[in-house]
Amino acid sequence: MTRTETGRTVRDLMHPDARCVGEHDSLRTAARMMRDLDVGALPVCGDDDRLKGIITDRDIVIKCCAEGGNLDETTASELAQGLIWIDVEGSVDEALTMMERHRIKRLPVIENHRIVGMISEADLAKGLPDDKLAEFVHQVYGRR
């Protein structure tokens, strides 16, 4: 098991029990789930209950609404991006490195091929020393 110098794994910081939107669900369904769960992103899971990607509220607005798309006809899988994830026993440092490298603010957490949580900026803000958090913010937001 890989651990940081503080001995913490992703399991220690993640938000557990991430809810998935189905790959065939509409963007309207995804948007309502985000509203009801008070989240800005949802994992997209297939009929096989496996992670297919992630969709954000920004994806819905920029890639569907702004383009004149139909929220009821466009499916979550059409906008799902990336299969970037981390194992639940991965170190917090590994999660930071992945999030910085891919310039992402949310990272699905997998255990036994199933999603068990998400790690987000808010989780990092609560669990990291100020210097590590500042470096993360610089890496994700600072470079263009």
Side-chain angles (χ1 to χ4, degrees), residues 22-81:
E23 66 181 329
H24 305 294
D25 287 337
S26 72
L27 293 184
R28 186 173 311 279
T29 298
R32 286 180 176 156
M33 283 181 71
M34 288 180 193
R35 177 198 62 202
D36 295 346
L37 296 169
D38 193 26
V39 297
L42 286 171
V44 178
C45 293
D47 295 333
D48 58 0
D49 201 31
R50 303 274 176 120
L51 181 67
K52 303 298 181 192
I54 191 168
I55 187 171
T56 68
D57 49 5
R58 188 172 195 280
D59 293 332
I60 294 170
V61 171
I62 301 297
K63 297 176 182 174
C64 185
C65 296
E67 297 296 323
N70 186 316
L71 289 173
D72 295 309
E73 293 177 5
T74 307
T75 64
S77 65
E78 291 178 60
L79 267 61
Q81 296 183 359

Side-chain angles (χ1 to χ4, degrees), residues 14-132:
M14 73 176 193
H15 181 81
D17 304 322
R19 297 267 316 271
C20 289
V21 64
E23 66 181 329
H24 305 294
D25 287 337
S26 72
L27 293 184
R28 186 173 311 279
T29 298
R32 286 180 176 156
M33 283 181 71
M34 288 180 193
R35 177 198 62 202
D36 295 346
L37 296 169
D38 193 26
V39 297
L42 286 171
V44 178
C45 293
D47 295 333
D48 58 0
D49 201 31
R50 303 274 176 120
L51 181 67
K52 303 298 181 192
I54 191 168
I55 187 171
T56 68
D57 49 5
R58 188 172 195 280
D59 293 332
I60 294 170
V61 171
I62 301 297
K63 297 176 182 174
C64 185
C65 296
E67 297 296 323
N70 186 316
L71 289 173
D72 295 309
E73 293 177 5
T74 307
T75 64
S77 65
E78 291 178 60
L79 267 61
Q81 296 183 359
L83 281 174
I84 301 165
W85 54 271
I86 191 162
D87 187 87
V88 72
E89 295 301 331
S91 74
V92 172
D93 284 341
E94 288 175 285
L96 282 170
T97 298
M98 290 177 73
M99 293 170 82
E100 289 171 358
R101 182 181 321 126
H102 297 284
R103 301 188 67 185
I104 56 176
K105 300 166 194 142
R106 302 163 183 101
L107 184 63
V109 180
I110 303 292
E111 182 176 40
N112 297 323
H113 306 288
R114 301 286 187 264
I115 188 158
V116 293
M118 293 279 281
I119 192 160
S120 70
E121 292 175 285
D123 300 317
L124 296 173
K126 292 175 193 171
L128 289 178
D130 289 345
D131 61 327
K132 282 197 176 231

